[in-house]
Amino acid sequence: MLAAESGGALSLTTQEPFMRRAPALSFLLVTVFLDIVGLGLIVPITPALLTAVTADPSQAVLWSGLLGTAFGLLQFAAAPLLGRLSDRYGRRPVLLLSLGCLGVDWLAHAIAGSPGTLLVFHAIAGACAGTNTVVNAYIADVTPPERRARAYGLVGAAFGLGFVAGPTIGGLLGAVDVRLPFLAAAALSFANLAYGALILPESRPGDRTTPLTLRATNPVSAITAILRRPVLGRLAQARLCADLARMIHQATWAFFLTYRFGWDTTHVGLVIAAVALAGALFQARAVGPVVRRLGEKRTAVGGGLLSVTTFFGTAFASTPGQLYPLLTVGVLASAGGAAAQSWISGTAGADEQGTVQGGLSAIGAVAEAVVPLAAGVAFGALVAYGKPGLIFVVAATLAAASTVLLALTPAGESVRTTV
């Protein structure tokens, strides 16, 4: 049943049948989709906007790096606090705050006349970037353990579809006016905010006894507390290794295809879109049945092995005919990520899902801030030596480390300890 809380918000009890929670899950999927569409809208346009604002292409590149770094650093600093706030006050207000800040950031991009203004608003958006943290915690609240892998697979599917739609729409709107994609992204964020404010129930009322101490909310302590837990700590390490491998791939993939096979931007874009679509369909339809049959651990380990195969094979692929089967294997590997996320949620208590997800988001924010630049520099050096594929050997090694950690982790929930 939907129950009214003292503050007037609606709440979903944990005993409510899963199908009655479907509207909330649908909103979360729409939120993830629109979040990624909004980000994708501005990807092909940001260089042109910053060039127009700075009137200097070299300065535009510098400011682009500063914007990304500021966002990542503030997200790292604030993610544990946002997660803790969602445990104390509920998921709904934190999620709505994140959506509102993101909309303000895109609106600032559309109207700002100086790069300094953009930096301030983008940093604030990074500090409020709690969408992934809260969505993952919310799903753990409203979804029984046996259905979580399917739910996280649907989140992955929404991400993939947004990844395809965003850049396509952004490129079309940007051809009309360089600021139009940012207005569209802001409109999507504010529309989603209004939609959530009207229909999204609270998944758990929160616990006012959850302390907001410096130890619990600063990123270093939050990450340390996670890593000290025997099962959760190892799963967090495995996830970090897998994320590092994925980000290396994302940062260098388009450049590799252009260098190795001589593909133009249209060809590269079509291949990326096709892989993202295939991955979205697979995660939406197949992840749930696969995890029910194999279990979370075996699915996560199997997905890791497939990732290793994909990265290592890509490193030495010399023709497109060798590449396409590897892309198919990579699509199948996506089941591992949803299974691992479901496994992680099962190691955390109901009253600490936000805290745990916030700590994991902080770990991911560090990787997001460091890996693209480091991978780009390394790829450039490898191209100079005529060995660009070796960057994917690095990714394969990290994926292998993640798989080993998963294989060595005992299945089942860890002992509940205080974070």
Side-chain angles (χ1 to χ4, degrees):
M1 295 292 292
L2 290 174
E5 297 300 318
S6 59
L10 295 176
S11 176
L12 287 166
T13 66
T14 55
Q15 290 76 30
E16 187 178 2
F18 173 72
M19 290 307 294
R20 291 190 181 184
R21 302 177 198 138
L25 180 59
S26 297
F27 171 79
L28 298 180
L29 297 178
V30 170
T31 295
V32 172
F33 174 75
L34 292 181
D35 204 26
I36 301 304
V37 167
L39 291 171
L41 277 171
I42 58 89
V43 166
I45 306 303
T46 298
L49 174 68
L50 289 174
T51 299
V53 171
T54 61
D56 183 346
S58 63
Q59 286 296 308
V61 174
L62 173 62
W63 279 102
S64 178
L66 288 174
L67 289 174
T69 299
F71 186 95
L73 289 177
L74 268 294
Q75 185 180 24
F76 164 75
L81 173 61
L82 293 176
R84 196 72 166 181
L85 287 172
S86 77
D87 284 336
R88 182 178 174 90
Y89 297 109
R91 318 293 184 209
R92 187 173 182 271
V94 178
L95 182 57
L96 296 180
L97 171 67
S98 297
L99 293 174
C101 285
L102 188 61
V104 171
D105 182 34
W106 296 144
L107 186 60
H109 276 69
I111 63 177
S114 72
T117 302
L118 293 178
L119 182 64
V120 170
F121 280 98
H122 208 51
I124 293 173
C128 298
T131 301
N132 289 338
T133 296
V134 180
V135 165
N136 287 336
Y138 198 117
I139 287 176
D141 292 338
V142 304
T143 312
E146 66 274 12
R147 292 182 180 267
R148 282 181 191 165
R150 174 180 176 271
Y152 287 124
L154 291 173
V155 170
F159 185 99
L161 292 175
F163 181 78
V164 173
T168 302
I169 299 172
L172 294 174
L173 294 177
V176 178
D177 186 281
V178 71
R179 294 183 185 264
L180 187 56
F182 296 96
L183 290 172
L188 288 174
S189 294
F190 289 134
N192 202 29
L193 171 64
Y195 179 52
L198 291 173
I199 67 98
L200 180 67
E202 179 58 76
S203 61
R204 65 186 303 274
D207 182 359
R208 298 300 193 275
T209 64
T210 300
L212 292 176
T213 63
L214 180 62
R215 177 180 177 274
T217 58
N218 85 80
V220 175
S221 296
I223 293 171
T224 301
I226 288 175
L227 295 179
R228 283 177 177 168
R229 293 169 63 167
V231 173
L232 180 59
R234 191 172 290 174
L235 291 176
Q237 294 172 39
R239 174 165 157 173
L240 174 60
C241 289
D243 284 347
L244 291 173
R246 173 182 56 80
M247 284 184 277
I248 288 172
H249 177 266
Q250 290 178 348
T252 59
W253 179 236
F255 297 100
F256 174 78
L257 294 178
T258 301
Y259 181 86
R260 176 63 62 86
F261 303 118
W263 290 356
D264 59 20
T265 55
T266 300
H267 197 167
V268 172
L270 288 174
V271 169
I272 291 175
V275 171
L277 269 177
L281 292 174
F282 176 74
Q283 291 188 76
R285 302 294 298 176
V287 167
V290 169
V291 174
R292 282 197 299 272
R293 184 175 182 84
L294 299 179
E296 291 170 344
K297 178 174 179 176
R298 281 188 288 181
T299 303
V301 172
L305 291 172
L306 292 175
S307 292
V308 172
T309 301
T310 301
F311 294 140
F312 194 79
T314 300
F316 299 99
S318 58
T319 67
Q322 296 172 345
L323 183 67
Y324 293 131
L326 293 169
L327 295 177
T328 302
V329 174
V331 168
L332 300 178
S334 63
Q341 178 59 50
S342 178
W343 191 0
I344 287 172
S345 71
T347 68
D351 60 341
E352 60 168 358
Q353 287 289 341
T355 300
V356 168
Q357 296 299 336
L360 293 173
S361 293
I363 295 173
V366 175
E368 291 278 2
V370 173
V371 171
L373 177 59
V377 171
F379 182 77
L382 290 171
V383 167
Y385 283 98
K387 303 289 185 181
L390 290 183
I391 194 70
F392 296 107
V393 174
V394 177
T397 302
L398 288 165
S402 174
T403 304
V404 170
L405 287 167
L406 292 171
L408 294 176
T409 303
E413 297 186 5
S414 64
V415 176
R416 168 72 167 88
T417 60
T418 300
V419 175

